[in-house]
Amino acid sequence: MDVRPSRPPADDWAVLDPQGIDRLIGALGRRGYRTLGPVVRDGAITLAEIAGVADLPAGWRDAQDPGRYRLERTESPAFFAWAVGPHSAKAQVLPPRDRVWRASAGAGGVEIAEAGVDAPPTALVGIRPCDVAGLGVLDRVLGAAGAADPAYLRRRAQTFVVVAECGSPAATCFCTSMGTGPDARSGFDLALTELVDGGGHRFLSRSATGAGAALLRAVGGASATTIDRRSRDGVLGDAAARIRRRLDRDGLPALLERNLEHPRWDEVADRCLACGNCTMVCPTCFCTSVEDTTDLTGASQRERRWASCYEVGHSYIHGGPVRPSTRARYRQWLTHKLGTWHDQFGESGCVGCGRCVTWCPVGIDLCEEVDAIRRADGATAARPAPGGS
Amino acid sequence: MIPGGGWRPSVAVWKFASCDGCQLSLLDLEDELLALAGAVRVAHFTELSRADEGGPYDVSLVEGSITTPEDADRIGRVREASRVLVTIGACATAGGIQALRNFAVAGAYAPVVYAHPEYIASLATSTPIAAHVTVDVELHGCPVDRRQLLEVITALIAGRPPVVPGHSVCQECKARGTVCVLVAAGVPCLGPVTRAGCGALCPAVGRGCYGCFGPAESARPSPLTNRFIRLGVSRPDLQRLYRTFNAAAPAFRSEHLRHDPPD
């Protein structure tokens, strides 16, 4: 595995101090962006509105394990000494609930009014490379030519991304397996790498878009030195080396496809709550359900909401659900995320953020599930009616 | 059933063994009350009026569980007089808190509570309405969520299926961006096995879900219980977690019985 961070040309770099980040956040606000960034709330690093660096989680880091997340104090002045919080960028481009249209009885029959898309210009400050990769995956699902979702495209076009490259992975992280981090490669306007060393607390910054370059110029900053860039290489190299978790991707879609009757599916179904948390926290799980309702005035509306393949109704077709058992639903989720997503969209649906591992109430670990299947490749469960559950 | 076509269904509200909290949720619909009063004809609702229009009724909302021989008869008559029967709340859908008697010796509580237990004629069990008559729609919760109550009534008026999801409370937590209290704070929370509908009220204020909406559509509590054990929850407390308003709902019942202390 190559742990060397990607290294763009040197002339794009600038160095901002913490006050520079404060100016950056202020400049985004003045440009009309609703600016969201990492904020400590309810015992976690959440994505919330920020007005300046005072809102950032300085002195906090996270400890994550399967089914467990805790914030801890650190002596470091770093703003980004944590890995990832519970909130990915998904809710900003695919809201949990969204109105599609309203209809009412008019003189000429039913009148349908398409809902306006509430899409304020939004800046995401300090999201991680894995989450930027997650936006890319969503782009290829919801923004695909010929099948694009207009509301998604509107919100996505209004999104300005300031990625914070990751120097502090958690035990649940495996971006190095998925090729999505800890360095940022594409899909952002501005990239920051936080450096805290003998050279001070500073942020090596580079732009990838015209809007990013204009903002960086407006904020101002010192030019980057070779030492700064080497320092970044060190931070990102260390981070990559500290990521011990692996998802073995060797022939993974085929492995899953030939193991649909593996006994591990029964075993994991015995631990799985079918609560849907993994799908909700996943930055790429995009399923929605459409709900039509009326009110007492006779007006009606169609809304879509986040849905989960763990809901019984998710696979409901005429006569009943296709996947009534937890076994069938867990298998659907994992084989789609890591297998058939390739057939549909030409890549994996997983970006290695580890949220499904951390935020599973019972700590089910998809890497471990894949390993278990791989260890006994070809095993089949004794069952009376194969494929029937 | 044509919405806006002038059809005003008659609605009756019935009380069985219950606290009235669910039917009072109707009166809590303060912003919608006038519109609702215009959309339906209240034919029988003793918390609102002594007037009684008599049956048959287009819609009956039934609160409470069956705990007496008289009520076991009465629910049959309510069913016969109702085109659509909707049960509202944990008592009507699962037997309620009073179903704790199902797990005790019959009659054991009466002498503790009543000065003259000889006047009490009750059944040995508290059972949900669906154990006695056919139920068309079940609305869970202790109490029911008034928005869901309005949704069901509105859907019945419009002749469409009500939108009442059966998934877990977790999905509501995630939709509102609440940080998981179980994962981030180690708080025992029944959200993963509990039916959505409340909007994930308790976790939003840092409390674990109490399970007042009862088991979610495919709830399997035992892996969650195993997690609680690892968090250090004691065996009596495990039992108490599942033995509240929905103690007799099948998925919760089997789980607390699993942790019944040996006699």
Side-chain angles (χ1 to χ4, degrees):
Chain A
M1 182 191 55
D2 185 6
V3 297
R4 286 171 303 173
S6 57
R7 207 163 170 188
D11 51 359
D12 288 344
W13 305 82
V15 173
L16 301 177
D17 59 10
Q19 291 72 41
I21 300 298
D22 203 53
R23 291 198 302 276
L24 175 74
I25 295 167
L28 285 166
R30 283 193 300 280
R31 281 165 157 75
Y33 286 103
R34 182 179 67 112
T35 306
L36 305 179
V39 173
V40 171
R41 187 168 292 170
D42 299 328
I45 308 275
T46 61
L47 191 58
E49 291 208 30
I50 53 170
V53 288
D55 295 324
L56 298 179
W60 290 101
R61 68 178 175 208
D62 53 15
Q64 301 190 44
D65 290 296
R68 188 176 183 278
Y69 176 102
R70 291 292 185 280
L71 283 184
E72 296 169 351
R73 296 299 298 189
T74 80
E75 296 301 311
S76 166
F79 300 145
F80 302 105
W82 40 274
V84 285
H87 299 156
S88 75
K90 178 169 75 177
Q92 307 310 320
V93 288
L94 182 67
R97 184 169 283 278
D98 207 15
R99 184 182 292 157
V100 181
W101 50 249
R102 283 187 69 88
S104 54
V110 176
E111 291 169 3
I112 294 180
E114 219 171 286
V117 179
D118 176 30
T122 299
L124 305 175
V125 175
I127 66 170
R128 292 305 195 186
C130 53
D131 281 334
V132 175
L135 286 172
V137 172
L138 285 180
D139 287 346
R140 288 178 284 282
V141 174
L142 298 173
D149 178 85
Y152 175 83
L153 286 183
R154 276 282 304 283
R155 293 193 174 95
R156 192 67 179 88
Q158 296 277 64
T159 306
F160 186 92
V161 174
V162 181
V163 62
E165 294 189 299
C166 188
S168 45
T172 42
C173 293
F174 55 103
C175 62
T176 42
S177 295
M178 307 314 293
T180 57
D183 56 315
R185 292 159 205 188
S186 60
F188 56 86
D189 295 282
L190 271 181
L192 310 173
T193 319
E194 186 171 39
L195 306 173
V196 183
D197 56 23
H201 185 196
R202 63 206 190 282
F203 298 82
L204 192 56
S205 315
R206 67 183 196 271
S207 59
T209 61
L215 186 69
L216 199 50
R217 274 196 305 276
V219 171
S223 36
T225 65
T226 311
I227 294 171
D228 295 325
R229 290 200 299 278
R230 279 201 195 125
S231 199
R232 168 181 178 266
D233 291 351
V235 164
L236 298 176
D238 283 354
R242 269 186 285 132
I243 297 175
R244 300 262 176 252
R245 174 176 291 271
R246 296 279 175 271
L247 179 66
D248 183 354
R249 297 179 64 191
D250 184 31
L252 186 51
L255 174 81
L256 295 173
E257 194 181 349
R258 67 175 175 266
N259 281 289
L260 295 177
E261 300 301 330
H262 199 283
R264 186 70 179 190
W265 302 119
D266 297 287
E267 203 274 332
V268 68
D270 219 36
R271 287 176 282 129
C272 176
L273 297 164
C275 60
N277 273 300
C278 47
T279 60
M280 298 285 119
V281 296
C282 179
T284 71
C285 272
F286 57 86
C287 283
T288 52
S289 183
V290 169
E291 293 176 345
D292 292 344
T293 54
T294 51
D295 66 20
L296 290 170
T297 69
S300 57
Q301 65 174 0
R302 170 166 291 181
E303 289 179 300
R304 66 175 179 186
R305 62 158 176 92
W306 283 1
S308 171
C309 47
Y310 289 91
E311 291 173 46
V312 175
H314 189 77
S315 69
Y316 185 92
I317 56 170
H318 175 77
V322 174
R323 293 186 283 270
S325 69
T326 300
R327 170 185 180 270
R329 281 179 255 157
Y330 185 86
R331 184 179 65 179
Q332 162 64 23
W333 177 69
L334 194 79
T335 56
H336 184 221
K337 184 69 58 186
L338 302 177
T340 51
W341 203 295
H342 287 270
D343 303 329
Q344 267 183 299
F345 306 113
E347 62 185 340
S348 174
C350 176
V351 296
C353 70
R355 285 191 182 87
C356 61
V357 181
T358 296
W359 298 97
C360 172
V362 292
I364 293 173
D365 175 345
L366 86 168
C367 301
E368 195 184 312
E369 298 312 315
V370 168
D371 285 346
I373 289 169
R374 196 183 288 280
R375 278 196 301 271
D377 188 0
T380 52
R383 57 179 54 253
S389 61
Chain B
M1 291 204 206
I2 300 161
W7 185 66
R8 284 177 76 214
S10 61
V11 173
V13 182
W14 306 99
K15 175 186 166 67
F16 288 80
S18 60
C19 77
D20 281 37
C22 287
Q23 53 178 297
L24 285 172
S25 299
L26 270 175
L27 300 181
D28 284 344
L29 287 165
E30 293 176 4
D31 292 340
E32 298 85 8
L33 210 50
L34 289 176
L36 186 61
V40 301
R41 231 169 54 242
V42 178
H44 176 83
F45 184 9
T46 50
E47 284 280 13
L48 177 72
S49 164
R50 71 178 68 177
D52 188 346
E53 196 181 279
Y57 310 97
D58 292 313
V59 178
S60 275
L61 303 176
V62 177
E63 177 196 270
S65 66
I66 303 300
T67 58
T68 65
E70 290 76 18
D71 276 357
D73 285 342
R74 186 162 61 99
I75 188 60
R77 295 196 297 278
V78 168
R79 174 70 268 189
E80 280 171 21
S82 311
R83 289 176 61 201
V84 176
L85 192 153
V86 181
T87 49
I88 57 171
C91 299
T93 56
I97 192 91
Q98 59 275 24
L100 289 174
R101 75 169 68 166
N102 302 9
F103 313 105
V105 176
Y109 294 142
V112 181
V113 176
Y114 299 102
H116 289 281
E118 65 271 21
Y119 295 149
I120 305 299
S122 62
L123 299 169
T125 55
S126 168
T127 43
I129 300 300
H132 299 266
V133 298
T134 301
V135 171
D136 300 298
V137 181
E138 288 193 317
L139 207 49
H140 300 262
C142 182
V144 290
D145 178 87
R146 57 193 170 90
R147 291 155 301 185
Q148 283 201 332
L149 189 58
L150 183 66
E151 162 61 14
V152 167
I153 296 169
T154 309
L156 290 171
I157 293 170
R160 64 171 171 86
V163 177
V164 184
H167 59 66
S168 72
V169 170
C170 298
Q171 287 191 220
E172 293 190 317
C173 262
K174 293 298 182 281
R176 63 187 286 177
T178 300
V179 175
C180 178
V181 297
L182 176 54
V183 170
V187 174
C189 174
L190 289 177
V193 296
T194 299
R195 182 178 291 269
C198 62
L201 280 176
C202 293
V205 293
R207 299 293 301 262
C209 168
Y210 293 93
C212 34
F213 275 61
E217 60 192 2
S218 57
R220 294 178 54 258
S222 63
L224 186 64
T225 308
N226 293 340
R227 175 70 205 271
F228 293 163
I229 292 169
R230 291 198 298 278
L231 286 173
V233 178
S234 70
R235 186 169 166 142
D237 283 347
L238 285 178
Q239 192 174 59
R240 287 185 195 110
L241 272 170
Y242 294 104
R243 199 173 263 195
T244 58
F245 325 100
N246 293 279
F252 284 5
R253 180 183 60 210
S254 57
E255 193 60 14
H256 64 72
L257 289 178
R258 213 161 65 86
H259 301 281
D260 225 351
D263 290 325

